[in-house]
C-alpha cells in the first residue's frame, strides 16, 4: 500500500525544498517503501489539519497521520521492521537522535544565507505569510538578514569542521553505508541547493563530496529533483 | 594485567583535567578495565616519546603505546570484545565518530572561558609553554582571550541547544545507558569543572543534569576527582 507524504513545494510544484521533508524522502527510499508525495504550500494548513498541527512533513499511512520528522523516522523503523534499518539497531537509534537536533541547528545557520531566495521561489500566495513569520522570528527584514552573507560564508564553513572531520574518516556518518543520521544532516544541504543558487560548500569540501554521494543514492532520486547546481 | 594511562595533571598531581583523557578514563571504567593513571605535565614530552607523538592521552597496554582518544577508544573496543561495548555495535561505532569531532569543537568553545584558569592551575614548569603555545594559537594574550567571558556566556549556552534537545528526550546520547558518545561529550565539561570555578551550565540545564548523571557513574569516579562545584 502506497504511503502519502505532504511535501513542501515552491511556486513550481515540482520544486520540493523542505529540509525536514527531504530527510523523510530519503528515509522512505532507504526503507524501500512506495510513496506518493503531495505538493504542499506554506499556507495550505487546512490540508494537513488531520495531523493536529501545521507543519510538514506529514506522512499518511493506512489512515494514520504522522508529523515531525523524528517521529516519522521512528514510526517507519517500527512499522516496517523487515525493511533496511534506518538506525542500525537500538544503540544506533539512540545515537541518531543528536544528529536530528544538530541538523536542526544547521537549518537555522543556513537560513541566514538562503532566506531571501526562498521568498523569491515560493508561491505568490505564500509570500506574505513567509515574510511576516520569518521576519518576526529573525527580528529584521529578510533583505537585511542575508545582506552580508558573502562575508559570513568563511565562518559558516569553519563551523562545519566537526562534520568535515568525520567525513574525512568515513564515507557516511553511518559508516560505509548511509543511515538516517546521514539523511538528517543531508536535509539542510539539499534544502539549500533546491531553493537557492548560493554556493554554500566549496567544490573540494568533504561535506560536499558526501552530499554528492547521497545525491547518487536511490537511482539519483535527490539529484533528479529540481535544484541548482550549487 | 593493569593498563597505564598518561593523564594530564595540574600543579596538584591529583587534579586531572584533560578533556581527552577524561573520555578515556570513563571508557576504561565502562569496559571494566583496571588502569593505573600516571600524572603527566605538558612539558614532560620525553615521558611519552615511545608513543611517537607529544599529546595525552597515551595508553600503554601489554607494551603497546597508543595515542589519540578516538584511536584508543577503538583499540579498547577491539582488544576487549568481552567487556561492555563502548559503541553498541558496528553502526553505533560509525555513528559515534561524529560525537568525537563535535566534542573537539566544544573544547575549542569552552577554552575561551577557562584558558586563564588553566594557566593559574598548572605546574610552574608548564606555564611558559602553555602561555606561549596557546597565545600563538588564539592570537592574543590569554587575559584578553577570556576578558569578556561573562558577556559571551548566553551565546555559548544557546549554542548547546542541539545537545540540550536530545538530552531532554533521553537520559544519555547512548539511550538509557551511556556509551562512548556520552564520554566524548562529557570530557569537555569535566575538563572545565576540574580546572575552573567558572559556571558554564545553569543549574537546571538538562546538559548539566546529564553531566551529573555521568559524575555518579562508576561509583562516582569523576565526581570524586578534585574539581570545582561549577
Amino acid at each position: 500500500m502506497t504511503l502519502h507524504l505532504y511535501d513542501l513545494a515552491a511556486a513550481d510544484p515540482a520544486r520540493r525544498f523542505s529540509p525536514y521533508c527531504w530527510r523523510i524522502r530519503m528515509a522512505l527510499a532507504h526503507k524501500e517503501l512506495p510513496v506518493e508525495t503531495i505538493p504542499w504550500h506554506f499556507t495550505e494548513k487546512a490540508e494537513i489539519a488531520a495531523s493536529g498541527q501545521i507543519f510538514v512533513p506529514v506522512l499518511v499511512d493506512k489512515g494514520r497521520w504522522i508529523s515531525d520528522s523524528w517521529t516519522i523516522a521512528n514510526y517507519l523503523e517500527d512499522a516496517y521492521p523487515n525493511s533496511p534499518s534506518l538506525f542500525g539497531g537500538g544503540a544506533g537509534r539512540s545515537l541518531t537522535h543528536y544528529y536530528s537536533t544538530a541538523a536542526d541547528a544547521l537549518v537555522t545557520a543556513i537560513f541566514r544565507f538562503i532566506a531571501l531566495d526562498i521568498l523569491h521561489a515560493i508561491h505568490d500566495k505564500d509570500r506574505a505569510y513567509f515574510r511576516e513569520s520569518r521576519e518576526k522570528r529573525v527580528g529584521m527584514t529578510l533583505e537585511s538578514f542575508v545582506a552580508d552573507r558573502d562575508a559570513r560564508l568563511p565562518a559558516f564553513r569553519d563551523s562545519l569542521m566537526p562534520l568535515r572531520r568525520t567525513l574525512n574518516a568515513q564515507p557516511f556518518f553511518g559508516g560505509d553505508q548511509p543511515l538516517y543520521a546521514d539523511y538528517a544532516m543531508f536535509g539542510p544541504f539539499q534544502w539549500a541547493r533546491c531553493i537557492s543558487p548560493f554556493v554554500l560548500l566549496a567544490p573540494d569540501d568533504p561535506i560536499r563530496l558526501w552530499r554528492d554521494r547521497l545525491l547518487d543514492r536511490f537511482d539519483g532520486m535527490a539529484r533528479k529533483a529540481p535544484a541548482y547546481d550549487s
Side-chain angles (χ1 to χ4, degrees), chain A:
Chain A
M1 186 175 158
T2 297
L3 292 79
H4 289 84
L5 181 73
Y6 286 89
D7 192 20
L8 185 66
D12 170 7
R15 188 177 296 274
R16 310 296 175 83
F17 69 101
S18 160
Y20 309 106
C21 292
W22 269 111
R23 293 176 179 177
I24 300 305
R25 295 275 300 274
M26 299 295 276
L28 286 161
H30 182 104
K31 295 288 278 181
E32 301 170 355
L33 294 168
V35 64
E36 186 179 309
T37 64
I38 303 164
W40 180 89
H41 298 97
F42 282 119
T43 49
E44 294 168 354
K45 306 294 189 193
E47 291 195 20
I48 57 170
S51 72
Q53 52 83 65
I54 58 171
F55 303 106
V56 290
V58 167
L59 183 75
V60 187
D61 185 21
K62 306 183 197 87
R64 184 170 169 183
W65 293 65
I66 308 140
S67 60
D68 177 73
S69 59
W70 180 244
T71 303
I72 294 172
N74 280 276
Y75 168 81
L76 293 174
E77 186 77 347
D78 294 333
Y80 298 96
N82 298 323
S83 295
S85 173
L86 289 168
F87 302 127
R93 187 191 296 233
S94 298
L95 289 168
T96 300
H97 197 124
Y98 174 61
Y99 285 87
S100 179
T101 60
D104 292 348
L106 201 49
V107 169
T108 301
I110 292 176
F111 190 59
R112 185 113 214 206
F113 294 92
I114 67 172
L116 200 60
D117 298 322
I118 296 175
L119 181 75
H120 294 149
I122 59 181
H123 199 286
D124 284 345
K125 70 179 179 182
D126 283 351
R127 290 217 175 110
Y129 162 80
F130 182 81
R131 183 185 277 280
E132 188 179 352
S133 61
R134 270 50 175 183
E135 292 189 347
K136 185 175 174 188
R137 184 192 299 167
V138 303
M140 64 184 88
T141 66
L142 295 180
E143 286 77 3
S144 299
F145 189 56
V146 304
D148 59 344
R149 64 180 181 177
D150 291 321
R152 281 187 288 92
L153 186 59
F156 169 74
R157 289 179 175 176
D158 283 351
S159 77
L160 303 177
M161 187 56 76
L163 299 173
R164 192 172 293 123
R165 288 185 56 209
T166 291
L167 294 169
N168 263 328
Q170 56 192 50
F172 297 101
F173 293 106
D176 290 334
Q177 299 294 326
L179 291 171
Y180 187 76
D182 292 274
Y183 309 139
M185 289 289 195
F186 173 76
F189 293 105
Q190 174 72 344
W191 169 51
R193 70 180 282 283
C194 283
I195 206 73
S196 169
F198 189 77
V199 178
L200 279 175
L201 300 170
D204 60 347
D205 190 329
I207 302 169
R208 188 178 175 122
L209 303 178
W210 158 82
R211 185 202 70 177
D212 290 353
R213 286 192 289 277
L214 288 169
L215 291 175
D216 290 333
R217 288 268 148 171
F218 315 126
D219 296 321
M221 180 185 76
R223 191 184 288 285
K224 288 173 191 163
Y228 295 92
D229 190 25
S230 58

